[in-house]
Amino acid sequence: MRRRSSTLLTRLAGVVAGTVLVAAAVLVGTAPAQAATLTQVTGFGSNPGNLAMYAYRPDGLPSGAPAVVLLHGCTQNANTYFTNSGWRKYADQWKFALIVPEQKSANNATACFNWFEPGDTRRGQGEALSIRQMVDHARTSYGTGRVFVSGLSAGGAMVSALLAAYPDVFTAGSVVAGVPYGCATSMVTAFTCMSPGVDKTPAQWGDLVRNAYSGYTGPRPRVAVWHGTSDYTVAVANATESRDQWTNVLGVSQTPTGTATLPGGTTLERYGADVVRVYRVSGMGHGTPVDPGSGADQCGTAGAYFLDTICSAYRDAVFFGLDGSGGGPTPTPTATASPTPSPTATPVCVTASNYAHVAAGRAYASLGYAYALGSNQRMGLYNTFNMTTLKQTAANHWVIGC
């Protein structure tokens, strides 16, 4: 069991006490017809980071189903985040597993994941390796396939570390109120990283990720970034720096290819062929966006650091392709998980309006025009009158004609 500096941890606790302060909830209450519960798992590996593992497997989970790793914020625990974030609703509905690591006070006095400790964020070390071992255990024991990751604050910063260190493990990730990978390398520099933030060029941020797994040439995860515009705990500038990091890593421009206005005063920016997303939630402070209700795109329980604005779990699940249109089992992660069917021996050809192509994820809209996803071929006006036939040539890649 590792020891931490109590003095620095006390200082960090004072800074991030408002980060994610929620009382521990009782073990998940379940509906009468739902027997599955969040369950602690032991013996999942050597566990060099000394983390606890919890898992949730919905009733009827098929072999090869995807899995999502959920990382809580400071002073939270696995059950708190599982209960309130809204992810359980979609795990039950779309049949994917949840892996929920939990920090221990022996590692960090405020239960923050140690996103600022190089020994916990490098490939093959510490907490990052413990989480990797949880994923491997789920694949072996539950038969899970593609793996995604999402987390809040310190958990969001750890998402950045996992995507950088293990691009061969995670298909996509969501950084909620977090920071870019490599922003801090100690608890002292963590303060500056959180606020006012650290300014680097896109190439400098990108090099930090590339150096996290030197020599890796395979596909990279897609990334969603969430941040409230009134977040005074983790400065809003971190959303832009995270955008710069991941657009550079994925080789796309820092200029959005499309924007949209969503519920809850949220602005969505898409980059490249929808490989990076940035959600800016107007007026929201520090926390995970939720939207309690029974609607298809509503989820979660509002409370301290679970903020009633928009259901981020729904948007991320769809972005990850877990809604049944692109979340099928694929043993090897790809960098561009798509909400479209995987190509087969016979090319998939679809004729529809340009508006329908965009809605289905085969194209994106920019400046009033529609463009084939992956190829950037201009299809014409973004409306219901223009009809276009698209052919899928690869995952997340469409061209005009068949």
Side-chain angles (χ1 to χ4, degrees):
M1 202 174 281
R2 298 164 299 159
R3 301 180 62 185
R4 305 290 185 189
S5 167
S6 58
T7 301
L8 286 175
L9 286 170
T10 300
R11 291 181 60 209
L12 184 62
V15 173
V16 300
T19 306
V20 237
L21 201 62
V22 178
V26 295
L27 195 61
V28 183
T30 58
Q34 176 61 263
T37 60
L38 185 68
T39 305
Q40 185 168 7
V41 179
T42 59
F44 57 85
S46 61
N47 192 18
N50 189 35
L51 302 179
M53 175 183 178
Y54 290 81
Y56 179 74
R57 290 179 286 166
D59 293 338
L61 183 71
S63 177
V68 178
V69 176
L70 299 180
L71 299 174
H72 63 75
C74 298
T75 72
Q76 291 181 317
N77 58 30
N79 186 68
T80 300
Y81 207 74
F82 170 79
T83 302
N84 296 304
S85 64
W87 275 99
R88 178 182 181 176
K89 172 179 178 176
Y90 301 107
D92 288 338
Q93 181 175 326
W94 292 326
K95 300 302 179 188
F96 54 87
L98 297 174
I99 302 168
V100 195
E102 182 175 279
Q103 182 61 286
K104 296 181 180 180
S105 59
N107 300 335
N108 187 297
T110 51
C112 306
F113 290 103
N114 287 299
W115 57 272
F116 43 81
E117 294 281 2
D120 281 311
T121 58
R122 288 176 179 157
R123 184 177 177 88
Q125 297 185 33
E127 292 173 11
L129 178 55
S130 289
I131 296 169
R132 163 68 188 269
Q133 291 176 348
M134 295 179 195
V135 170
D136 290 343
H137 178 84
R139 282 180 166 150
T140 301
S141 302
Y142 314 152
T144 55
R146 295 186 304 163
V147 182
F148 306 83
V149 59
S150 177
L152 166 66
S153 192
M158 187 58 82
V159 169
S160 296
L162 291 170
L163 297 179
Y166 293 105
D168 53 332
V169 173
F170 297 97
T171 302
S174 174
V175 179
V176 184
V179 299
Y181 173 70
C183 184
T185 55
S186 69
M187 279 185 279
V188 175
T189 55
F191 297 119
T192 300
C193 181
M194 291 166 57
S195 185
V198 174
D199 182 28
K200 294 182 184 293
T201 67
Q204 288 172 328
W205 284 124
D207 285 344
L208 289 171
V209 172
R210 285 182 283 270
N211 291 338
Y213 185 6
S214 181
Y216 177 73
T217 59
R220 295 279 181 177
R222 300 163 74 220
V223 184
V225 176
W226 291 83
H227 224 104
T229 63
S230 296
D231 189 338
Y232 302 114
T233 302
V234 176
V236 180
N238 282 293
T240 300
E241 299 301 315
S242 290
R243 176 206 66 186
D244 289 352
Q245 181 168 68
W246 294 109
T247 51
N248 181 265
V249 168
L250 290 165
V252 299
S253 170
Q254 285 77 53
T255 301
T257 52
T259 61
T261 301
L262 304 178
T266 303
T267 300
L268 165 62
E269 304 162 9
R270 293 185 177 89
Y271 294 86
D274 203 20
V275 294
V276 174
R277 289 186 175 189
V278 177
Y279 296 86
R280 304 181 193 271
V281 188
S282 179
M284 190 182 81
H286 190 72
T288 295
V290 297
D291 183 19
S294 58
D297 60 351
Q298 291 184 293
C299 73
T301 302
Y305 304 99
F306 294 96
L307 306 179
D308 189 353
T309 49
I310 184 174
C311 172
S312 55
Y314 169 79
R315 304 285 168 176
D316 283 340
V318 173
F319 177 59
F320 293 167
L322 300 175
D323 58 341
S325 59
T330 303
T332 303
T334 61
T336 53
S338 170
T340 55
S342 297
T344 60
T346 302
V348 177
C349 295
V350 182
T351 300
S353 71
N354 290 347
Y355 177 89
H357 281 308
V358 171
R362 297 181 290 268
Y364 67 91
S366 179
L367 301 176
Y369 292 91
Y371 297 82
L373 200 63
S375 67
N376 293 328
Q377 286 181 278
R378 181 165 165 172
M379 296 158 47
L381 292 174
Y382 168 60
N383 58 35
T384 58
F385 301 103
N386 280 63
M387 301 294 291
T388 305
T389 298
L390 295 180
K391 178 175 70 174
Q392 189 177 31
T393 59
N396 205 39
H397 192 106
W398 296 79
V399 297
I400 297 175
C402 194

